[in-house]
Amino acid sequence: MNLDFSVIRNQKNLLAFSAGVDSSALFFLLLEQNIPFDIAIVNYNLRVQSKDEVFYAKNLASKYKKNIFLKETKIENISNFEKNARDIRYKFFDEIILENSYENLITAHQLNDKLEWFMMQLSKGAGLVELIGFNEFEQKENHKIYKPLLNITKEELENYLKINNHKYFVDQSNFDEKYKRNYFRHTFSNKFLENFSSGVKKSFEYLQIDLDSLNIQNIPIKKIKELEIFLNQNDDNLNIRTIDLSLKKRGFLLTSAQRNEILKQKEITISHKINISIQQNHIWIAPICSEFIEKKYKELYRINKIPKNIRTYIFREKIELEELVF
C-alpha cells in the first residue's frame, strides 16, 4: 500500500481507534512510517467483546509507547444509536485535542465508507457537496480531521492485516442491518466495490475536481471568534454551499428543507443555535444568543448595517465595529 503521510509527519496527531479492521490497519501503517501519534478509544459497553478491544488498545499503546485516552460510556437510548455514539465520540475527541493541543485527528474512514456515504446521500436527494462529503482533510475550529485511507478498500486493509499477522477485531454489530449504514454497506457498496473499485476511485477523483472548479468561497473574509463573514457570490447555489461548509465545521448538517428556507428567508436561525444572514454583499454566520443590547449600540449597529440577528453576538463578545471593516 503506497500511502504518503508526510503532511502530518512533524505534527501532533491523535488516532481515533476502535481495534477494528480499519483503525488497526491504520495504526500499523502509521507506525511503519514513523508518524507520531497517540490513540483514543470509546467503549460503549454494549458488547462483551468491547472489553477485549479496550485491552488490546491498551496493550498496543504500552508496547509502542503511545498515550491512550479512554472513555467509558453507556447509551441508554439506542433508538438513534449511531448518531448518539458519533456525538459522544467526537465530543470526547474534541476535548482531548483542546486539552492536549493536537493538530490533527486521524480517522480510518476508507473507500467503502465513502461510497456508503455517497449512496446514503443520494437516497435522500443531495447535491454535489453532500454526495462527496468525505474529504482527505476537513478543517475544524481548533484542528483538522485527516482521512488518509479514502482511496483504499476495506478488503485491501484486511489483506494487509492478514499478510502482516496483525491482530484486529470484527464488530458483529456492523452486520446488523437495522442500522441504515449497514444496510447500504451490505446491500450495495461492498458488492459494488468487489467488481468496480478502480472505477469508483477514478469517479471520486473527477467529482472532486468538478467540486473544486465551482470555486466555492469557503474561507471567510472576516473571522472573529465564532463569527464568520463571507462574500455574497450572487449565486444561490454557491452561497448555500458556502453556508453548508461553514455549518458542517460547526457540527451541523443542513437538510434540504433548511437550505431552501435559508435562501428564501435570508435571515434565519438554524436548530435554535446558529444565526445566518444573507445581505446584498455579505453572508454573516454566528451563534445565537439573547443578550440585552444597550440603546446606543443598537443605533450604531443599525447605522453600520449589522444584521439584526447577528447584533447580540457582536455585543456579547464585545467585537468593535472597527474589526468589522472589510
Side-chain angles (χ1 to χ4, degrees):
M1 248 177 285
N2 296 319
L3 290 167
D4 181 8
F5 301 120
S6 59
V7 289
I8 61 165
R9 183 172 301 282
N10 298 314
Q11 298 184 19
K12 193 171 182 182
N13 307 301
L14 180 70
L15 172 65
F17 191 75
S18 69
V21 171
D22 308 334
S23 64
S24 295
L26 185 50
F27 182 98
F28 290 104
L29 288 166
L30 291 167
L31 276 182
E32 287 175 6
Q33 295 195 31
N34 296 314
I35 301 298
F37 68 95
D38 296 314
I39 64 175
I41 184 169
V42 177
N43 182 9
Y44 300 104
N45 289 288
L46 285 179
R47 296 172 293 112
V48 174
Q49 180 178 283
S50 64
K51 293 181 180 179
D52 295 329
E53 293 163 351
V54 169
F55 184 71
Y56 178 51
K58 288 180 177 179
N59 281 345
L60 286 177
S62 176
K63 181 177 180 180
Y64 296 103
K65 296 178 171 58
K66 304 293 181 187
N67 292 322
I68 182 170
F69 301 90
L70 167 64
K71 182 175 182 63
E72 296 279 355
T73 188
K74 185 72 178 286
I75 299 177
E76 300 298 336
N77 181 9
I78 61 171
S79 61
N80 197 1
F81 175 79
E82 286 184 303
K83 182 185 183 303
N84 291 334
R86 186 186 186 282
D87 289 346
I88 290 171
R89 185 165 63 248
Y90 278 90
K91 185 176 184 293
F92 176 53
F93 296 154
D94 287 346
E95 290 169 354
I96 297 169
I97 288 165
L98 193 60
E99 291 171 6
N100 297 275
S101 301
Y102 286 102
E103 296 169 89
N104 302 299
L105 172 66
I106 310 173
T107 69
H109 294 98
Q110 27 72 6
L111 186 62
N112 296 60
D113 296 317
K114 188 166 184 172
L115 184 58
E116 287 160 24
W117 173 268
F118 180 95
M119 290 180 168
M120 288 172 68
Q121 297 307 307
L122 186 68
S123 73
K124 298 175 184 177
L128 183 58
V129 171
E130 296 78 32
L131 287 172
I132 54 170
F134 273 34
N135 296 303
E136 185 179 24
F137 277 101
E138 181 183 341
Q139 183 65 55
K140 306 297 282 186
E141 191 70 26
N142 300 304
H143 64 280
K144 290 180 180 178
I145 297 180
Y146 177 44
K147 303 183 182 79
L149 302 180
L150 291 180
N151 212 36
I152 308 295
T153 65
K154 194 177 195 75
E155 184 180 19
E156 290 174 291
L157 294 172
E158 196 165 2
N159 288 338
Y160 162 80
L161 290 168
K162 289 176 179 177
I163 290 169
N164 291 281
N165 199 30
H166 293 316
K167 183 178 178 179
Y168 64 92
F169 289 81
V170 176
D171 182 351
Q172 293 302 315
S173 68
N174 287 334
F175 298 93
D176 189 343
E177 293 192 3
K178 72 179 180 183
Y179 300 123
K180 185 183 292 186
R181 183 177 294 278
N182 290 345
Y183 168 74
F184 278 90
R185 175 179 301 158
H186 300 298
T187 308
F188 301 110
S189 60
N190 283 359
K191 294 176 182 178
F192 198 78
L193 284 172
E194 285 175 11
N195 298 300
F196 306 110
S197 62
S198 61
V200 171
K201 292 177 184 180
K202 275 293 181 187
S203 291
F204 277 129
E205 287 176 16
Y206 292 140
L207 284 169
Q208 188 62 55
I209 292 170
D210 288 343
L211 179 59
D212 293 342
S213 70
L214 289 176
N215 193 30
I216 300 173
Q217 300 297 318
N218 61 349
I219 299 176
I221 57 172
K222 283 283 181 180
K223 181 172 179 7
I224 306 168
K225 298 183 179 178
E226 293 184 77
L227 167 68
E228 290 183 323
I229 307 172
F230 300 88
L231 283 175
N232 184 329
Q233 299 173 77
N234 298 309
D235 181 302
D236 282 351
N237 185 49
L238 294 179
N239 283 342
I240 201 64
R241 298 312 176 197
T242 297
I243 294 167
D244 227 345
L245 290 169
S246 174
L247 265 63
K248 187 178 178 185
K249 291 176 187 176
R250 300 167 188 256
F252 296 95
L253 293 177
L254 290 174
T255 65
S256 178
Q258 286 174 323
R259 294 187 191 97
N260 292 335
E261 280 302 305
I262 290 169
L263 293 174
K264 179 182 176 181
Q265 294 190 33
K266 306 298 183 186
E267 193 165 291
I268 190 172
T269 300
I270 295 296
S271 300
H272 306 289
K273 292 184 178 179
I274 298 291
N275 281 331
I276 299 168
S277 179
I278 302 176
Q279 292 186 315
Q280 183 175 355
N281 297 315
H282 301 100
I283 299 170
W284 301 64
I285 303 176
I288 190 172
C289 56
S290 55
E291 298 291 312
F292 174 78
I293 304 177
E294 296 174 23
K295 187 174 181 180
K296 66 175 182 178
Y297 286 101
K298 283 184 180 179
E299 185 62 15
L300 279 173
Y301 294 156
R302 184 189 67 78
I303 293 171
N304 286 274
K305 298 181 179 178
I306 306 297
K308 290 181 180 179
N309 63 347
I310 303 295
R311 294 173 188 174
T312 51
Y313 181 79
I314 291 173
F315 181 77
R316 187 188 74 181
E317 298 299 324
K318 297 181 173 57
I319 299 173
E320 299 292 337
L321 292 174
E322 290 78 7
E323 297 179 72
L324 301 174
V325 175
F326 304 120

